[in-house]
mmCIF file of all heavy atoms in Angstrom:
data_model
loop_
_atom_site.group_PDB
_atom_site.id
_atom_site.type_symbol
_atom_site.label_atom_id
_atom_site.label_comp_id
_atom_site.label_asym_id
_atom_site.label_seq_id
_atom_site.Cartn_x
_atom_site.Cartn_y
_atom_site.Cartn_z
ATOM 1 N N VAL A 23 90.383 144.714 92.575
ATOM 2 C CA VAL A 23 89.595 143.919 91.639
ATOM 3 C C VAL A 23 90.010 142.389 91.879
ATOM 4 O O VAL A 23 89.011 141.524 91.828
ATOM 5 C CB VAL A 23 89.876 144.372 90.228
ATOM 6 C CG1 VAL A 23 89.278 143.373 89.190
ATOM 7 C CG2 VAL A 23 89.321 145.743 90.005
ATOM 8 N N VAL A 24 91.276 142.129 91.937
ATOM 9 C CA VAL A 24 91.716 140.738 92.113
ATOM 10 C C VAL A 24 91.119 140.130 93.393
ATOM 11 O O VAL A 24 90.597 139.034 93.457
ATOM 12 C CB VAL A 24 93.261 140.678 92.132
ATOM 13 C CG1 VAL A 24 93.686 139.270 92.532
ATOM 14 C CG2 VAL A 24 93.795 141.069 90.760
ATOM 15 N N ALA A 25 91.145 140.962 94.485
ATOM 16 C CA ALA A 25 90.626 140.479 95.862
ATOM 17 C C ALA A 25 89.162 140.206 95.665
ATOM 18 O O ALA A 25 88.620 139.234 96.174
ATOM 19 C CB ALA A 25 90.933 141.530 96.882
ATOM 20 N N LEU A 26 88.409 141.204 95.042
ATOM 21 C CA LEU A 26 87.001 140.878 94.858
ATOM 22 C C LEU A 26 86.675 139.686 94.050
ATOM 23 O O LEU A 26 85.716 138.889 94.378
ATOM 24 C CB LEU A 26 86.363 142.146 94.246
ATOM 25 C CG LEU A 26 86.251 143.422 95.193
ATOM 26 C CD1 LEU A 26 85.835 144.594 94.377
ATOM 27 C CD2 LEU A 26 85.404 143.176 96.351
ATOM 28 N N LEU A 27 87.355 139.451 92.920
ATOM 29 C CA LEU A 27 87.166 138.379 92.099
ATOM 30 C C LEU A 27 87.539 137.034 92.843
ATOM 31 O O LEU A 27 86.782 136.062 92.707
ATOM 32 C CB LEU A 27 87.878 138.401 90.846
ATOM 33 C CG LEU A 27 87.461 139.563 89.824
ATOM 34 C CD1 LEU A 27 88.425 139.524 88.632
ATOM 35 C CD2 LEU A 27 86.094 139.385 89.427
ATOM 36 N N SER A 28 88.501 137.059 93.600
ATOM 37 C CA SER A 28 88.924 135.866 94.470
ATOM 38 C C SER A 28 87.890 135.618 95.534
ATOM 39 O O SER A 28 87.464 134.484 95.772
ATOM 40 C CB SER A 28 90.318 136.165 95.147
ATOM 41 O OG SER A 28 91.341 136.399 94.114
ATOM 42 N N ALA A 29 87.288 136.687 96.169
ATOM 43 C CA ALA A 29 86.306 136.563 97.193
ATOM 44 C C ALA A 29 85.110 135.927 96.470
ATOM 45 O O ALA A 29 84.451 135.021 97.076
ATOM 46 C CB ALA A 29 85.970 137.820 97.828
ATOM 47 N N ARG A 30 84.749 136.428 95.275
ATOM 48 C CA ARG A 30 83.529 135.883 94.604
ATOM 49 C C ARG A 30 83.832 134.370 94.328
ATOM 50 O O ARG A 30 82.815 133.551 94.463
ATOM 51 C CB ARG A 30 83.362 136.653 93.393
ATOM 52 C CG ARG A 30 82.126 136.162 92.664
ATOM 53 C CD ARG A 30 81.932 136.770 91.219
ATOM 54 N NE ARG A 30 80.777 136.405 90.583
ATOM 55 C CZ ARG A 30 80.485 136.563 89.265
ATOM 56 N NH1 ARG A 30 81.274 137.366 88.589
ATOM 57 N NH2 ARG A 30 79.353 136.188 88.774
ATOM 58 N N ALA A 31 84.963 134.043 93.897
ATOM 59 C CA ALA A 31 85.245 132.606 93.508
ATOM 60 C C ALA A 31 85.024 131.780 94.884
ATOM 61 O O ALA A 31 84.554 130.637 94.765
ATOM 62 C CB ALA A 31 86.669 132.448 93.017
ATOM 63 N N LEU A 32 85.584 132.284 96.003
ATOM 64 C CA LEU A 32 85.485 131.499 97.359
ATOM 65 C C LEU A 32 83.920 131.390 97.639
ATOM 66 O O LEU A 32 83.561 130.254 98.154
ATOM 67 C CB LEU A 32 86.267 132.150 98.345
ATOM 68 C CG LEU A 32 87.764 132.189 98.200
ATOM 69 C CD1 LEU A 32 88.477 132.961 99.298
ATOM 70 C CD2 LEU A 32 88.224 130.694 98.312
ATOM 71 N N LEU A 33 83.198 132.426 97.487
ATOM 72 C CA LEU A 33 81.788 132.403 97.835
ATOM 73 C C LEU A 33 81.046 131.431 96.992
ATOM 74 O O LEU A 33 80.162 130.793 97.410
ATOM 75 C CB LEU A 33 81.251 133.864 97.762
ATOM 76 C CG LEU A 33 81.724 134.815 98.782
ATOM 77 C CD1 LEU A 33 81.150 136.236 98.361
ATOM 78 C CD2 LEU A 33 81.198 134.427 100.136
ATOM 79 N N GLU A 34 81.403 131.400 95.659
ATOM 80 C CA GLU A 34 80.678 130.479 94.789
ATOM 81 C C GLU A 34 81.018 128.982 95.049
ATOM 82 O O GLU A 34 80.266 128.140 94.916
ATOM 83 C CB GLU A 34 80.989 130.806 93.331
ATOM 84 C CG GLU A 34 80.363 132.103 92.803
ATOM 85 C CD GLU A 34 80.700 132.397 91.378
ATOM 86 O OE1 GLU A 34 81.613 131.734 90.829
ATOM 87 O OE2 GLU A 34 80.069 133.262 90.780
ATOM 88 N N ALA A 35 82.307 128.831 95.507
ATOM 89 C CA ALA A 35 82.697 127.493 95.997
ATOM 90 C C ALA A 35 81.863 127.133 97.166
ATOM 91 O O ALA A 35 81.517 125.974 97.374
ATOM 92 C CB ALA A 35 84.180 127.504 96.265
ATOM 93 N N GLY A 36 81.723 128.115 98.144
ATOM 94 C CA GLY A 36 80.902 127.853 99.313
ATOM 95 C C GLY A 36 79.485 127.495 98.908
ATOM 96 O O GLY A 36 78.849 126.657 99.518
ATOM 97 N N VAL A 37 78.965 128.190 97.939
ATOM 98 C CA VAL A 37 77.578 127.873 97.506
ATOM 99 C C VAL A 37 77.482 126.471 97.027
ATOM 100 O O VAL A 37 76.624 125.685 97.317
ATOM 101 C CB VAL A 37 77.092 128.882 96.458
ATOM 102 C CG1 VAL A 37 75.888 128.369 95.745
ATOM 103 C CG2 VAL A 37 76.999 130.279 97.006
ATOM 104 N N SER A 38 78.479 126.070 96.206
ATOM 105 C CA SER A 38 78.542 124.625 95.717
ATOM 106 C C SER A 38 78.699 123.629 96.759
ATOM 107 O O SER A 38 77.983 122.612 96.787
ATOM 108 C CB SER A 38 79.754 124.512 94.664
ATOM 109 O OG SER A 38 79.532 125.406 93.523
ATOM 110 N N LEU A 39 79.496 123.919 97.810
ATOM 111 C CA LEU A 39 79.637 122.953 98.929
ATOM 112 C C LEU A 39 78.347 122.877 99.682
ATOM 113 O O LEU A 39 77.959 121.787 100.119
ATOM 114 C CB LEU A 39 80.790 123.451 99.777
ATOM 115 C CG LEU A 39 82.187 123.322 99.154
ATOM 116 C CD1 LEU A 39 83.243 123.954 100.151
ATOM 117 C CD2 LEU A 39 82.529 121.881 98.974
ATOM 118 N N ALA A 40 77.719 124.025 99.988
ATOM 119 C CA ALA A 40 76.429 123.962 100.750
ATOM 120 C C ALA A 40 75.348 123.278 99.963
ATOM 121 O O ALA A 40 74.493 122.510 100.510
ATOM 122 C CB ALA A 40 76.069 125.431 101.131
ATOM 123 N N GLN A 41 75.330 123.515 98.589
ATOM 124 C CA GLN A 41 74.392 122.856 97.720
ATOM 125 C C GLN A 41 74.515 121.375 97.688
ATOM 126 O O GLN A 41 73.671 120.610 97.750
ATOM 127 C CB GLN A 41 74.520 123.480 96.287
ATOM 128 C CG GLN A 41 73.502 122.858 95.418
ATOM 129 C CD GLN A 41 73.689 123.456 94.007
ATOM 130 O OE1 GLN A 41 74.046 124.647 93.788
ATOM 131 N NE2 GLN A 41 73.443 122.694 92.943
ATOM 132 N N ALA A 42 75.828 120.924 97.668
ATOM 133 C CA ALA A 42 76.160 119.546 97.677
ATOM 134 C C ALA A 42 75.725 118.953 98.998
ATOM 135 O O ALA A 42 75.354 117.674 98.990
ATOM 136 C CB ALA A 42 77.670 119.334 97.497
ATOM 137 N N ARG A 43 75.768 119.600 100.077
ATOM 138 C CA ARG A 43 75.269 119.085 101.373
ATOM 139 C C ARG A 43 73.835 119.077 101.416
ATOM 140 O O ARG A 43 73.155 118.133 102.025
ATOM 141 C CB ARG A 43 75.810 119.880 102.466
ATOM 142 C CG ARG A 43 75.312 119.538 103.894
ATOM 143 C CD ARG A 43 75.904 120.597 104.878
ATOM 144 N NE ARG A 43 75.215 120.537 106.182
ATOM 145 C CZ ARG A 43 75.447 121.367 107.097
ATOM 146 N NH1 ARG A 43 76.364 122.247 107.013
ATOM 147 N NH2 ARG A 43 74.820 121.250 108.266
ATOM 148 N N LEU A 44 73.146 120.010 100.789
ATOM 149 C CA LEU A 44 71.645 120.215 100.934
ATOM 150 C C LEU A 44 70.848 119.358 99.991
ATOM 151 O O LEU A 44 69.859 118.675 100.422
ATOM 152 C CB LEU A 44 71.341 121.776 100.678
ATOM 153 C CG LEU A 44 69.897 122.125 100.758
ATOM 154 C CD1 LEU A 44 69.407 121.919 102.108
ATOM 155 C CD2 LEU A 44 69.779 123.621 100.275
ATOM 156 N N THR A 45 71.316 119.243 98.808
ATOM 157 C CA THR A 45 70.482 118.430 97.693
ATOM 158 C C THR A 45 70.176 117.095 98.059
ATOM 159 O O THR A 45 69.040 116.628 97.978
ATOM 160 C CB THR A 45 71.180 118.666 96.344
ATOM 161 O OG1 THR A 45 71.338 120.009 96.024
ATOM 162 C CG2 THR A 45 70.370 117.980 95.261
ATOM 163 N N PRO A 46 71.258 116.300 98.513
ATOM 164 C CA PRO A 46 70.837 114.945 98.813
ATOM 165 C C PRO A 46 69.893 114.764 100.026
ATOM 166 O O PRO A 46 69.080 113.845 100.034
ATOM 167 C CB PRO A 46 72.217 114.285 99.091
ATOM 168 C CG PRO A 46 73.200 115.124 98.425
ATOM 169 C CD PRO A 46 72.609 116.554 98.562
ATOM 170 N N LYS A 47 69.966 115.719 100.894
ATOM 171 C CA LYS A 47 69.109 115.669 102.065
ATOM 172 C C LYS A 47 67.593 115.908 101.690
ATOM 173 O O LYS A 47 66.701 115.288 102.163
ATOM 174 C CB LYS A 47 69.448 116.663 103.147
ATOM 175 C CG LYS A 47 70.775 116.308 103.798
ATOM 176 C CD LYS A 47 71.068 117.253 105.030
ATOM 177 C CE LYS A 47 72.319 116.841 105.757
ATOM 178 N NZ LYS A 47 72.614 117.805 106.886
#
């Protein structure tokens, strides 16, 4: 459960980073 929640947090951070790169473009 801890690993899955950590993986989800990392994936959501990745979404935010990709979104931060995409939106201004």
Side-chain angles (χ1 to χ4, degrees):
V23 172
V24 173
L26 290 172
L27 293 178
S28 300
R30 183 187 180 189
L32 290 174
L33 290 171
E34 289 181 346
V37 170
S38 299
L39 291 173
Q41 180 183 328
R43 173 184 168 186
L44 179 62
T45 301
K47 289 186 177 182

